[in-house]
């Protein structure tokens, strides 16, 4: 398996899931703005959307979309118990993956992070953040994880919450969310993945500054 990733982007969730599972995988860095793979290939030749995560699962098959990629990793390594097998609990996992992907990642954080965004768009996104973080906070109060145990949804959520610090969203206003973030970030797989990608992120920022 080969994960195409960009440092600290949403593909970090798949790296966390792979570390949790103890899976052996390759990690290939992508410049998602230039649509270039680190080895010089055109990333649009890997996936036409040019987005990470893109997971080459072997036999030339590339899987995209966080929700699908994360569930694929969970199912490929069932011993890691990163997703409930079926039934309502599996639907709950999908509920949270959908919530994180559409309500937080795309509706709130992308407009705040996108360099082509403007103040009006950012104000709209910040306005949306309040209800979504309130819903999350109510759910996380008294809970360790989104489901009964750590799952790929937690890997995705901790990845997305990490962007709060870059976008001026102060999680202190939602203590249950802030405490959850600190707790999950301390998990060995998460701490390792974040440390590694933070170093790569700093390197890519420095390289961009000297261009
Ligand atoms: N719908 C995709 C969105 C993935 C996505 O937004 N990836 C971002 C990084 S977090 C990206 O590659 N952005 C570059 C671009 O959209 O051109 C998913 O859920 O996987």
């Amino acid at each position: 398996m080969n994960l195409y990733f960009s440092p600290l982007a949403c593909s970090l969730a798949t790296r966390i899931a792979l570390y949790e599972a103890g899976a052996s995988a390759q990690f290939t860095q992508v410049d998602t703005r230039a649509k270039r793979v680190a080895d010089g290939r055109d990333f649009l030749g890997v996936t036409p959307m040019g987005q990470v995560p893109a997971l080459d699962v072997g036999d030339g098959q590339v899987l995209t979309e966080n929700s699908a990629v994360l569930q694929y990793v969970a199912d490929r390594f069932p011993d890691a118990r990163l997703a409930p097998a079926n039934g309502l609990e599996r639907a709950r996992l999908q509920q949270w993956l959908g919530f994180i992907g559409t309500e937080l990642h795309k509706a709130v954080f992308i407009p705040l992070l996108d360099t082509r965004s403007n103040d009006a768009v950012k104000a709209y996104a910040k306005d949306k953040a309040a209800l979504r973080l309130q819903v999350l906070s109510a759910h996380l109060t008294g809970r360790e994880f989104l489901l009964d145990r750590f799952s790929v949804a937690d890997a995705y959520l901790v990845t997305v919450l990490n962007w709060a610090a870059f976008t001026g969203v102060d999680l202190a206003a939602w203590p249950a969310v802030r405490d959850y973030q600190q707790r999950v970030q301390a998990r060995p797989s998460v701490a390792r993945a974040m440390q590694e990608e933070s170093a790569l992120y700093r390197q890519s920022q420095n390289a961009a500054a000297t261009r």
Side-chain angles (χ1 to χ4, degrees):
M1 263 187 308
N2 182 8
L3 175 66
Y4 291 91
F5 78 100
S6 176
L8 298 184
C10 52
S11 44
L12 172 65
T14 303
R15 182 188 291 268
I16 293 169
L18 290 166
Y19 287 176
E20 278 284 332
S24 75
Q26 273 178 269
F27 297 90
T28 301
Q29 192 163 334
V30 174
D31 179 339
T32 50
R33 273 202 202 129
K35 305 295 176 208
R36 282 277 149 220
V37 182
D39 59 16
R41 269 179 300 151
D42 181 359
F43 188 44
L44 295 173
V46 176
T47 167
M49 285 294 287
Q51 293 180 323
V52 292
L55 184 67
D56 185 334
V57 298
D59 291 340
Q61 295 240 43
V62 174
L63 191 61
T64 59
E65 298 296 322
N66 281 290
S67 174
V69 171
L70 289 168
Q71 291 185 75
Y72 175 83
V73 169
D75 290 345
R76 185 146 161 183
F77 303 98
D79 291 352
R81 299 177 66 196
L82 294 171
N86 49 39
L88 181 59
E89 276 308 296
R90 183 63 174 235
R92 285 273 178 236
L93 173 81
Q94 290 165 339
Q95 174 188 318
W96 284 112
L97 290 172
F99 177 85
I100 299 160
T102 61
E103 303 298 339
L104 291 176
H105 178 175
K106 285 295 177 181
V108 172
F109 285 106
I110 291 296
L112 294 176
L113 287 164
D114 196 323
T115 49
R116 291 159 302 178
S117 188
N118 60 41
D119 287 349
V121 169
K122 287 185 183 180
Y124 176 78
K126 280 223 168 132
D127 191 49
K128 288 207 153 225
L131 172 63
R132 283 148 186 79
L133 289 167
Q134 181 48 45
V135 166
L136 195 56
S137 174
H139 180 75
L140 289 173
T141 299
R143 281 173 190 269
E144 199 175 347
F145 303 116
L146 287 167
L147 304 181
D148 289 344
R149 53 180 296 122
F150 182 87
S151 71
V152 287
D154 297 297
Y156 192 10
L157 182 55
V158 76
T159 294
V160 168
L161 291 177
N162 186 46
W163 302 334
F166 294 85
T167 53
V169 175
D170 186 2
L171 294 181
W174 298 276
V177 177
R178 183 204 52 202
D179 294 352
Y180 163 89
Q181 182 192 30
Q182 287 172 356
R183 202 164 53 241
V184 176
Q185 278 181 348
R187 210 176 158 83
S189 66
V190 180
R192 176 185 163 203
M194 289 188 71
Q195 213 168 34
E196 290 173 356
E197 290 210 4
S198 296
L200 293 171
Y201 179 79
R202 282 192 296 273
Q203 269 174 28
S204 62
Q205 293 296 101
N206 291 341
T210 54
R211 269 202 291 269

